[in-house]
Amino acid sequence: MAGHARQILERITPGGRLLGIDRDPSAVEAGRQALAGFGPAATVVQGRFGELGEVAALAGFPSADLVLFDFGISSAQLDAPERGFSFRSDGPLDMRMDPGGDVTAARIVNQYDEAEIERILRTYGEERWARRVAKFIVARRPLRTTRDLASAVEAAIPRQAWPRDIHVATRTFQGLRIAVNDELGEIEAGLKAALEILNPGGRMATISFHSLEDRLVKSFFIVESTDCICPPQQPVCTCGHRASLRIVTRRPVRPSAEEVDSNPRARSARLRVAEKTGGEKL
């Protein structure tokens, strides 16, 4: 709904321009409507994080002073049963952020072999019951709806092992969603693209919502803020790597208690910021 974009535009106009990018065409349309009052200062286009460089160039943004990434699923996607992201209401097993994508959650749970489903749930969902959940998913094929999937997870995990703070199917849905949309691959490519288009002294900021995203950002920031990345035991540097970032937030910034009260979905958000070296600070 372009909330961050509006806040930024109010601070950079007149004189500044903002490019909003989202892979979901419905989010692009909603963003255009929400930012219409800013006129030519706001441009909203469809694209993925990994396409940031090409998309920005085509939109007339060869470089940037700020790049903000808001990772993960949006509230609008989560609240639409027909998109299949949530276990709280019944809907098709879709989970595509871009409805034009080739892979759906239904394809994974109904066509992938048990070992691959287990890998997805363990790697992307961090589900410790991944093997048992994968077995129950395969045994219950075909799964057609989000309720079918949630029921398989509920049956697979012993009731006494259900987490107290989240729904028992949360990690399974997260793992499948990340796999469907190649979210971690897009984040990694997007961070590299952002570093390329940032002006010296420009900053990139990331908002992560789970540990996999945050770890990826943290690792990227550490590597790009370090001169030599050769193995510690190597006596002479041969990598030629030079630091291109300065980490601004040594620890991630978390939402205040007041913000969580007004917006409970912000409770897991983590903000990290880094500045591109080689120029004056903004």
Side-chain angles (χ1 to χ4, degrees):
M1 301 304 293
H4 294 119
R6 177 177 296 278
Q7 291 289 321
I8 293 170
L9 280 162
E10 288 175 354
R11 289 160 173 77
I12 67 172
T13 53
R17 295 189 302 148
L18 178 138
L19 172 65
I21 301 173
D22 200 293
R23 69 197 298 180
D24 187 337
S26 63
V28 171
E29 181 57 34
R32 287 173 178 165
Q33 293 180 18
L35 303 177
F38 291 96
T43 302
V44 185
V45 298
Q46 186 177 3
R48 304 192 313 270
F49 291 147
E51 301 172 324
L52 176 61
E54 306 95 287
V55 170
L58 286 172
F61 290 75
S63 63
D65 295 315
L66 166 67
V67 177
L68 169 64
F69 291 102
D70 184 9
F71 298 139
I73 192 173
S74 72
S75 292
Q77 291 166 333
L78 193 62
D79 293 337
E82 68 275 10
R83 303 297 297 272
F85 287 105
S86 176
F87 42 77
R88 300 192 184 281
S89 54
D90 209 12
L93 280 169
D94 194 321
M95 300 193 192
R96 291 173 297 176
M97 292 179 176
D98 177 359
D102 296 328
V103 180
T104 64
R107 178 176 171 183
I108 292 176
V109 300
N110 291 314
Q111 297 182 21
Y112 286 21
D113 64 38
E114 186 176 317
E116 179 61 7
I117 294 173
E118 178 189 345
R119 185 194 69 81
I120 288 171
L121 301 186
R122 192 177 305 281
T123 303
Y124 301 140
E126 300 181 294
E127 174 56 75
R128 71 186 187 95
W129 293 91
R131 178 172 298 177
R132 187 171 167 87
V133 172
K135 184 182 294 292
F136 272 65
I137 285 174
V138 171
R140 291 181 172 221
R141 287 173 172 173
L143 277 66
R144 295 186 172 85
T145 70
T146 53
R147 187 63 248 162
D148 290 343
L149 177 59
S151 295
V153 178
E154 290 166 358
I157 301 178
R159 188 61 186 255
Q160 63 270 25
W162 286 21
R164 295 181 179 180
D165 54 339
I166 59 174
H167 189 281
V168 66
T170 298
R171 294 188 177 97
T172 291
F173 274 69
Q174 172 185 298
L176 290 171
R177 191 201 79 220
I178 290 174
V180 166
N181 298 287
D182 186 25
E183 292 180 38
L184 299 186
E186 289 295 331
I187 289 173
E188 187 173 13
L191 292 171
K192 293 177 181 177
L195 184 57
E196 288 293 319
I197 70 170
L198 269 180
N199 292 319
R203 292 185 173 188
M204 71 168 78
T206 67
I207 303 175
S208 305
F209 288 88
H210 58 75
S211 59
L212 294 176
E213 296 170 343
D214 189 54
R215 257 183 263 146
L216 209 164
V217 173
K218 181 181 179 181
S219 176
F220 180 83
F221 281 8
I222 289 174
V223 168
E224 295 305 330
S225 63
T226 305
D227 276 339
C228 175
I229 55 175
C230 291
Q233 66 272 20
Q234 187 169 308
V236 179
C237 175
T238 57
C239 67
H241 186 269
R242 291 295 175 264
S244 54
L245 288 177
R246 178 183 70 85
I247 297 175
V248 176
T249 52
R250 288 295 165 182
R251 294 182 178 180
V253 179
R254 302 188 179 198
S256 65
E258 292 77 16
E259 181 175 359
V260 174
D261 284 341
S262 63
N263 178 21
R265 286 178 179 172
R267 67 186 181 278
S268 59
R270 303 289 182 269
L271 171 70
R272 293 185 185 270
V273 182
E275 179 178 277
K276 188 168 183 177
T277 57
E280 295 298 320
K281 295 181 181 179
L282 296 178

